[in-house]
Amino acid sequence: MSAPVLSVRNLSIDYVGEDSDFHAVKDVSFDIAKGEFFGLAGESGCGKSTIAFAIARLHQPSALIRRGEILVEGRNVLDLDKKALEKFRWTEVAMVFQSAMNSLNPVLTIEAQFHDVLKTHLGLSREQSRKRAEELLALVDIPAERLKSFPHQCSGGMRQRIVIAICLALNPKLLIMDEPTTALDVVVQREILQRIDVLRKELGFSILFITHDLGLMAQVCDRIGVMLEGELVEVGDARQIHTAPTHPYTKKLWASMPRLRGAQIGGEASL
Amino acid sequence: MSHAPILSLDNVSKTFGGGKAPVYAARAVSLELTPGRTTALVGESGSGKTTCARLIMREYEADEGKILFKGEKLGTGQFADLSAYRRAVQMIFQDPFASLNPAHTIRYHLERPLKLHRKDLAKAEREAGIVKLLEKVKLPADQMLEKYPHELSGGQRQRISIARALAVGPEVIVADEPTSMLDVSVRLGILNLLNEMKRSLDLALLYITHDIATARYVAEDIMVMFSGQIVEWGPVESVLGNPAHPYTRLLLSAVPDPDVRLGEATDFSPDDIVAIRKDAAQAQSEVREVGPGHFIRVPGGTAQA
């Protein structure tokens, strides 16, 4: 097995309070291999988003990384200075947020928002970045004429795909997606995830996928980590997490999810 | 069930905005709610689910068709008065953070409906009523009454919303996405509570959701809505087991299923999806029975069932 793209080692993060600290992430370690679709599951407040923000070095006070390392391609992200970080974000790690479809600038056209990234990082001219933006939009099945549109003229699903296309502009090695489709309808969600799955196979990037929807995760991910109150309680192959979970919490999560087909859950397994 | 429906919609339509691009939020919607039964209304955002809820709650007036409660047209007869109607038909909202007033205690939230609707009760009787309500939703009264909403978890708040809805002794409850903002492990408790209430109080429940798996868990009947129309309806196992309308099939194919890997799923192509949605958005007046009590609106156009 080749070296992992991302390696989180003994990571502990606290939210510093006046009287006491809240231990949001407790001694978490996991690896993501090249091209791997890795899922981090858990309920609100379990620390999954805190980890995502720390990997992109987007965590802000009062979050404090107490211990641990975050290695991307062998380099500790926590050691990067401001200049190195600018290069690191987008080229190494790009991030799609839950509200990403609202993260586009409402007063700029889609084209201008692509140009912003491409000019800053690659120094492309308007002409060059338009060409590159057309290629990127094609990746997410959006016609080139959309470049002239403003965000409000595009549907939520389309905006989410545009954000993903911008994230892919500099060929990042790792795409972090924090609840990327939670605000979308299931049909749109499926279309987007399918597209992402094809792209990661074509372009070879890895994915850290964060969601509370364990069913969705089992469907799309290669491996899954389950978090409970800041701890990574179980990591395994997606199929194993689904069919043979070992941790009681993972079992309880499955037992509390009503099934669409087949035998219904018992209903008494409420946590 | 031998019960007769308590509330029914008969070809109800509601349009927003006139001019060139009116929005047909409800198009010839017919449905019946029966005591002791849960009917699930499922569909994507913008399909008209909440419009139906608001029509039932008399927050909107229907443009066409009629809504009957206990055989009487809304706004007439015994329940003409809005407060008399609301005593019988209550609603539970999606957002347990927004639907409770942050400035008031839990006691206030539960006492107010009793004060407004049960003027016959003395203070001590009201107090006993509040404690009983909290027992019903399985919250410890002694710890809850003086608390403010922000001191409660999402699940606890939703239980308070349910208790508040039950306070006036309703016969119909409309629950609009009551669990979508809750964590997975808390959802089941709320769904179980709704089930229990339905059984013990013989409530007619309309459960509105985009989460079809939870609809299967709580409902006896299901209706699939798209673009203001109910395109398929019937017993929940029949509709989910043998979906007949192309849109229902599309919707069900996209529901996350841990048993089916993404690459192995039988999916619709992007072109199929566009075609199915386009067809389903057309007015479909012909109704066909495809199984016992299981109906679809017959789609026209290219994406035939």
Side-chain angles (χ1 to χ4, degrees):
Chain A
M1 195 174 140
S2 60
V5 169
L6 173 75
S7 182
V8 173
R9 287 274 152 268
N10 306 100
L11 187 66
S12 293
I13 305 175
D14 289 351
Y15 285 100
V16 179
E18 272 182 23
D19 304 322
S20 63
D21 297 346
F22 178 73
H23 308 298
V25 177
K26 301 170 194 165
D27 198 28
V28 167
S29 301
F30 63 90
D31 288 345
I32 300 181
K34 186 169 161 36
E36 188 173 44
F37 207 137
F38 183 85
L40 209 48
E43 300 187 275
S44 16
C46 73
K48 55 193 194 306
S49 292
T50 302
I51 292 178
F53 276 79
I55 293 170
R57 276 282 297 274
L58 290 168
H59 64 286
Q60 302 229 336
S62 61
L64 179 69
I65 297 180
R66 291 281 186 195
R67 265 190 318 282
E69 288 181 323
I70 298 169
L71 304 169
V72 173
E73 302 247 285
R75 221 162 33 133
N76 192 353
V77 175
L78 303 179
D79 294 339
L80 300 178
D81 60 18
K82 192 164 174 288
K83 212 166 166 64
L85 264 183
E86 272 171 27
K87 217 170 131 50
F88 164 78
R89 295 187 190 130
W90 298 90
T91 51
E92 307 265 329
V93 171
M95 193 159 169
V96 182
F97 303 95
Q98 176 172 0
S99 53
M101 51 190 188
N102 301 324
S103 61
L104 293 167
N105 187 331
V107 297
L108 295 179
T109 61
I110 303 302
E111 182 177 343
Q113 314 204 30
F114 272 100
H115 182 59
D116 194 23
V117 175
L118 294 167
K119 186 180 148 212
T120 310
H121 287 274
L122 301 177
L124 295 192
S125 70
R126 271 194 187 280
E127 194 50 48
Q128 287 170 317
S129 60
R130 182 177 311 125
K131 251 191 94 206
R132 177 75 180 131
E134 282 175 11
E135 292 168 14
L136 289 163
L137 280 187
L139 290 180
V140 291
D141 293 323
I142 292 179
E145 58 258 30
R146 279 288 168 181
L147 283 174
K148 293 192 202 73
S149 300
F150 287 92
H152 75 269
Q153 295 169 312
C154 305
S155 69
M158 205 180 268
R159 273 180 283 163
Q160 195 66 300
R161 281 183 284 161
I162 290 168
V163 172
I164 291 167
I166 295 177
C167 278
L168 297 177
L170 303 177
N171 295 317
K173 299 183 177 79
L174 175 68
L175 186 62
I176 301 174
M177 300 193 296
D178 189 0
E179 304 267 8
T181 53
T182 304
L184 303 171
D185 287 306
V186 284
V187 176
V188 180
Q189 165 174 290
R190 171 63 67 78
E191 277 188 284
I192 289 179
L193 288 175
Q194 220 149 25
R195 198 63 217 149
I196 287 174
D197 194 43
V198 169
L199 287 175
R200 65 124 181 179
K201 282 170 185 155
E202 277 174 22
L203 305 175
F205 56 85
S206 311
I207 298 170
L208 172 59
F209 181 51
I210 292 175
T211 180
H212 64 281
D213 189 340
L214 200 52
L216 176 65
M217 199 168 261
Q219 192 165 28
V220 302
C221 291
D222 300 323
R223 280 194 314 137
I224 294 174
V226 179
M227 288 195 67
L228 170 66
E229 291 169 4
E231 288 177 50
L232 192 59
V233 294
E234 181 166 8
V235 184
D237 182 73
R239 198 140 284 197
Q240 175 254 311
I241 294 283
H242 173 41
T243 56
T246 55
H247 196 277
Y249 177 68
T250 316
K251 290 179 189 169
K252 275 185 184 169
L253 274 182
W254 284 119
S256 57
M257 287 172 60
R259 309 299 308 269
L260 182 66
R261 299 181 181 88
Q264 188 55 276
I265 53 167
E268 69 288 338
S270 187
L271 295 189
Chain B
M1 280 292 159
S2 58
H3 282 303
I6 181 168
L7 190 137
S8 63
L9 274 67
D10 182 14
N11 275 302
V12 170
S13 296
K14 178 76 190 167
T15 308
F16 292 107
K20 278 185 191 152
V23 176
Y24 301 104
R27 294 195 277 175
V29 169
S30 296
L31 64 88
E32 289 179 342
L33 302 180
T34 309
R37 276 181 95 78
T38 300
T39 304
L41 183 58
V42 304
E44 58 190 74
S45 9
S47 60
K49 308 188 294 288
T50 298
T51 298
C52 288
R54 292 193 166 162
L55 285 164
I56 291 173
M57 293 314 296
R58 287 176 63 183
E59 286 178 40
Y60 297 151
E61 191 91 16
D63 295 336
E64 283 168 50
K66 58 182 180 205
I67 304 177
L68 298 178
F69 178 66
K70 293 194 168 175
E72 290 177 315
K73 204 165 176 242
L74 288 198
T76 67
Q78 197 191 341
F79 297 95
D81 177 45
L82 196 60
S83 88
Y85 182 71
R86 292 268 163 85
R87 205 171 303 147
V89 181
Q90 277 283 317
M91 185 157 176
I92 298 164
F93 299 92
Q94 175 173 15
D95 187 346
F97 298 82
S99 59
L100 299 177
N101 188 331
H104 289 301
T105 60
I106 300 310
R107 178 196 301 278
Y108 176 91
H109 280 97
L110 296 181
E111 192 171 24
R112 199 171 149 76
L114 292 174
K115 269 186 176 166
L116 289 172
H117 291 282
R118 297 290 308 275
K119 298 198 166 83
D120 55 311
L121 295 182
K123 192 167 169 31
E125 289 173 303
R126 276 206 306 271
E127 189 67 24
I130 295 170
V131 172
K132 224 175 185 166
L133 282 171
L134 286 169
E135 272 168 22
K136 265 189 202 158
V137 296
K138 301 190 173 67
L139 290 174
D142 52 326
Q143 293 166 41
M144 285 293 150
L145 284 174
E146 305 313 324
K147 284 202 168 141
Y148 288 88
H150 75 267
E151 298 175 271
L152 272 53
S153 70
Q156 287 173 328
R157 268 180 267 203
Q158 205 56 304
R159 282 172 194 269
I160 296 292
S161 296
I162 294 172
R164 178 175 60 179
L166 294 174
V168 295
E171 294 171 86
V172 176
I173 286 192
V174 176
D176 191 358
E177 301 268 16
T179 62
S180 67
M181 295 188 59
L182 304 176
D183 270 321
V184 177
S185 61
V186 182
R187 268 180 208 175
L188 196 67
I190 298 291
L191 296 176
N192 286 340
L193 182 62
L194 288 173
N195 260 340
E196 259 177 63
M197 297 296 117
K198 170 190 75 180
R199 274 197 290 270
S200 62
L201 304 172
D202 208 26
L203 291 170
L205 207 63
L206 180 64
Y207 176 69
I208 296 178
T209 187
H210 67 277
D211 184 343
I212 301 168
T214 63
R216 180 177 177 229
Y217 186 75
V218 297
E220 284 84 25
D221 304 304
I222 192 168
M223 299 182 294
V224 181
M225 198 162 187
F226 179 73
S227 187
Q229 294 182 101
I230 294 175
V231 295
E232 182 158 6
W233 65 99
V236 73
E237 291 299 329
S238 177
V239 171
L240 298 184
N242 299 298
H245 195 284
Y247 176 74
T248 312
R249 289 184 190 161
L250 168 66
L251 188 64
L252 291 180
S253 78
V255 174
D257 183 346
D259 291 322
V260 186
R261 295 284 299 169
L262 193 60
E264 299 156 9
T266 48
D267 270 317
F268 293 83
S269 73
D271 290 344
D272 288 343
I273 294 175
V274 171
I276 289 171
R277 294 171 64 96
K278 199 169 157 220
D279 275 358
Q282 304 296 317
Q284 303 153 53
S285 48
E286 193 190 334
V287 170
R288 184 195 299 157
E289 183 161 15
V290 293
H294 177 177
F295 299 87
I296 59 166
R297 281 180 185 271
V298 183
T302 47
Q304 277 290 352

